[in-house]
Amino acid sequence: MNLNIIGYFIYLSITAFIILKVGEICYKNGNVYVAELIPNHSDLCQKINQILLLAYYLLNIGYCAMTLISWEKILSTNQLIEIIAIKTAAIVFIISALHYTNIIIITKYIHKLIK
């Protein structure tokens, strides 16, 4: 029995939840960092934060959809769980790497402005 369709549904459900939840948290808390970069322009900061959120969603959801192409045929429930775990872990790793890269870049930029 081919379990790929079930795997796709489970994988996309899990990753969509993770992506949407992390995006919501970063959006709420990220406005402070953007406001630090561009003081006295709250409307512009809000728009930039919205664009960052949209780019985040497009990048991550697009990547999740593209990974479906590389899935091999799933023949057992053990293989199904293993593939979902590996693919979900990859998404979480990518999200965290992008987040920390953004924090490092923003922090260095703010330190440059202060000096």
Side-chain angles (χ1 to χ4, degrees):
M1 178 178 176
N2 185 348
L3 299 172
N4 281 52
I5 301 300
I6 295 169
Y8 296 159
F9 178 74
I10 294 169
Y11 169 72
L12 290 174
S13 298
I14 292 169
T15 55
F17 174 77
I18 291 169
I19 290 168
L20 293 173
K21 193 66 178 171
V22 170
E24 176 187 325
I25 291 168
C26 289
Y27 177 74
K28 283 183 194 174
N29 299 325
N31 212 25
V32 175
Y33 294 105
V34 177
E36 185 74 25
L37 294 173
I38 310 169
N40 304 324
H41 296 339
S42 62
D43 286 344
L44 179 61
C45 292
Q46 187 67 25
K47 293 297 180 192
I48 289 172
N49 203 20
Q50 289 172 349
I51 291 169
L52 288 171
L53 179 65
L54 178 64
Y56 166 81
Y57 285 152
L58 290 174
L59 177 72
N60 287 295
I61 292 172
Y63 178 77
C64 287
M66 291 296 293
T67 61
L68 297 179
I69 296 169
S70 66
W71 283 37
E72 63 223 32
K73 189 172 183 179
I74 302 171
L75 301 172
S76 69
T77 54
N78 288 344
Q79 188 182 16
L80 174 69
I81 293 168
E82 183 180 307
I83 288 176
I84 290 172
I86 291 169
K87 299 289 186 178
T88 303
I91 291 296
V92 171
F93 176 75
I94 290 168
I95 290 172
S96 63
L98 288 173
H99 175 70
Y100 284 113
T101 303
N102 283 339
I103 294 295
I104 290 168
I105 291 169
I106 289 172
T107 304
K108 287 186 178 192
Y109 185 75
I110 290 172
H111 285 296
K112 243 187 207 182
L113 291 175
I114 293 172
K115 289 181 182 182

